[in-house]
Amino acid sequence: MKLNIAVLPGDGIGPEVIAQAEKVLKAIAMEFNHVFTFQHALVGASAIEKTGNPLPEETIDICEKADAILFGAIGNAAFDLDPYAKIRPEQGLLRLRKSLGLYTNIRPVIAYEDLLNKSSLKKKQISNTNILIYRELTGGIYFGEKKLSDDGNTASDICEYTRFEIERIAHLAFKAAQSRKRKLTLVDKANALESSRLWRRVVQEMAPQYPNVQLNFMYIDNAAMELILNPKQFDVILTENMFGDILSEEASVIVGSIGLLASASLGEKHAMFEPIHGAYSKAANKGVANPIASILAAAMLLDHFGLDDEAALIREGVDKSLKLHITTPDLNTKYDNITTTKVGDFIEDFINNPDETNLNFTNIHLGQSTII
Ligand code: IPM
Ligand code: MG
């Protein structure tokens, strides 16, 4: 298969982790005789620095022409501390999602048996957690009208949703539930918000079209508690933009590190794949950033094109790296010399030689092995 992939590494740790994902995709292309081409483009604080614009025209153009987009992370501490800044790195990502119509954001939360002890939650509560979060990505409070009074003392963000926006993602979430444990939970705040009541009405009306899916409802405050109290009760969660942002970050506690969660952002014409974590500028260029979320985003990219064996091989490599503790410091207590690049190298090597890497790596003196 020929795929033209736009690569937007972004800010902070973005470039380091995305380099590993790109490396892994190149190994897959070699192994399976695909032709993947990669076109890099600027976004975020690094784009502001070079062009004054967090989403330069050239970047939109490259993304529009690409078959898929691999996105790193965005944000910069200087902007975080300046609430007066009019041009902000995050505008790059938000405009990109909006202009490409990426309205469905899918965030899988799967607990790895080998990592249960990395979570601050109890093992028995989290083992076998397997949740798919469907987060609406181009509507709601993020994109509603924003106002700031002339005296700077009053501000508002409107949370608006239309039936159309709710229906199109809800159909996808119902269908996802049908192919899983057939349970869909709509998370909202219908006891306080009109927009949430619209979500409830629309989703209730749709339910008869999916009679084999058990639909239930949960308020966001309660869901925030239930998610870490008893995550196994969830199968597919459907929710609006901001609730999905918050819940998915909370869900990373179940898995042991936010450095493990990947996501797909899909629209009618375009598809983008990204880790859910941010730019974490403090950790940039230290080799400590976990590249697994980006590598799993690359696997989701392959899923999207039906390249199932290819995606499965990446996931096998990830599983193996976790089993053998070939992981960055956010997860490792065993070795202290595993860098971002070494994790990428290990998974690349696994893809090139899945059989040879069955060697028992724990016996290899890490750092001297040619493999890592
Ligand atoms: C995410 C991020 C973004 C969001 C930020 C960077 C604007 O937190 O993708 O989860 O809020 O959507
Ligand atoms: Mg977030």
Side-chain angles (χ1 to χ4, degrees):
M1 184 179 278
K2 272 193 184 160
L3 286 179
N4 168 16
I5 301 168
V7 182
L8 277 54
D11 306 325
I13 59 171
E16 299 160 61
V17 291
I18 285 300
Q20 308 316 309
E22 191 176 330
K23 183 156 80 187
V24 164
L25 282 173
K26 282 182 180 152
I28 289 286
M30 279 279 256
E31 208 55 34
F32 291 82
N33 286 316
H34 298 305
V35 180
F36 297 164
T37 50
F38 300 87
Q39 218 174 347
H40 285 239
L42 290 170
V43 70
S46 45
I48 297 176
E49 216 170 275
K50 297 210 174 81
T51 70
N53 181 351
L55 184 64
E57 276 305 316
E58 195 194 349
T59 300
I60 303 187
D61 199 51
I62 289 174
C63 290
E64 275 177 349
K65 290 186 183 130
D67 298 305
I69 304 152
L70 193 59
F71 188 97
I74 210 159
N76 177 290
F79 292 90
D80 294 341
L81 296 173
D82 178 10
Y84 289 94
K86 286 252 180 311
I87 299 175
R88 313 187 64 83
E90 290 79 4
Q91 291 162 344
L93 176 58
L94 298 177
R95 281 180 202 156
L96 194 61
R97 288 173 178 169
K98 191 76 174 175
S99 60
L100 299 178
L102 305 172
Y103 60 85
T104 296
N105 184 232
I106 305 171
R107 299 186 162 188
V109 181
I110 300 167
Y112 288 90
E113 287 304 302
D114 293 318
L115 296 182
L116 294 179
N117 61 346
K118 302 289 175 189
S119 173
S120 48
L121 302 169
K122 293 197 180 83
K123 262 188 183 182
K124 67 173 187 335
Q125 243 103 351
I126 56 176
S127 77
N128 295 315
T129 296
N130 186 333
I131 306 172
L132 209 49
I133 299 179
Y134 271 67
R135 168 189 176 194
E136 203 289 329
L137 204 60
T138 54
I141 198 163
Y142 276 59
F143 292 97
E145 190 190 357
K146 301 190 178 305
K147 276 196 198 152
L148 178 65
S149 65
D150 290 342
D151 66 3
N153 290 330
T154 307
S156 64
D157 301 270
I158 302 282
C159 180
E160 189 172 280
Y161 270 107
T162 63
R163 170 178 290 273
F164 169 73
E165 286 174 309
I166 298 167
E167 276 177 356
R168 61 183 178 175
I169 185 171
H171 276 301
L172 299 176
F174 270 113
K175 282 182 190 143
Q178 277 181 325
S179 67
R180 294 167 49 96
K181 289 187 223 131
R182 296 195 286 278
K183 185 170 175 193
L184 178 64
T185 305
L186 175 68
V187 172
D188 63 26
K189 188 70 189 171
N191 51 351
L193 303 178
E194 199 57 57
S195 54
S196 282
R197 286 191 282 273
L198 182 64
W199 273 85
R200 252 185 213 218
R201 278 200 296 273
V202 171
V203 171
Q204 267 168 356
E205 283 168 26
M206 291 170 70
Q209 295 175 53
Y210 301 93
N212 58 353
V213 175
Q214 181 204 334
L215 173 66
N216 66 317
F217 304 93
M218 209 178 267
Y219 297 134
I220 177 65
D221 47 350
N222 185 220
M225 183 185 76
E226 290 291 336
L227 186 62
I228 46 177
L229 203 59
N230 177 17
K232 274 182 280 213
Q233 69 183 289
F234 297 105
D235 179 22
V236 179
I237 291 179
L238 167 64
T239 191
E240 59 103 84
N241 202 343
M242 190 160 74
F243 297 158
D245 177 44
I246 298 168
L247 271 194
S248 57
E249 185 135 343
E250 186 192 358
S252 70
V253 176
I254 299 166
V255 183
S257 167
I258 194 163
L260 294 170
L261 294 191
S263 82
S265 304
L266 309 176
E268 305 301 345
K269 286 205 216 98
H270 301 283
M272 183 158 96
F273 302 86
E274 49 176 314
I276 84 154
H277 62 70
Y280 195 25
S281 310
K282 277 187 289 199
N285 302 315
K286 294 195 174 128
V288 296
N290 191 339
I292 301 281
S294 294
I295 291 170
L296 290 175
M300 291 183 87
L301 184 155
L302 298 173
D303 287 335
H304 182 71
F305 293 99
L307 301 176
D308 299 344
D309 293 345
E310 291 81 340
L313 192 57
I314 292 185
R315 293 195 174 101
E316 249 178 81
V318 167
D319 288 352
K320 182 135 272 186
S321 75
L322 297 176
K323 210 174 234 21
L324 297 173
H325 307 274
I326 315 292
T327 52
T328 43
D330 52 320
L331 290 173
N332 228 338
T333 43
K334 193 156 182 170
Y335 308 117
D336 57 12
N337 59 348
I338 313 283
T339 60
T340 308
T341 310
K342 279 186 180 174
V343 174
D345 288 349
F346 176 83
I347 295 168
E348 176 191 35
D349 191 71
F350 175 82
I351 290 163
N352 294 335
N353 307 288
D355 299 326
E356 265 175 54
T357 37
N358 279 330
L359 293 169
N360 183 358
F361 277 96
T362 44
N363 292 334
I364 295 177
H365 182 69
L366 293 163
Q368 286 181 4
S369 150
T370 52
I371 294 163
I372 56 162

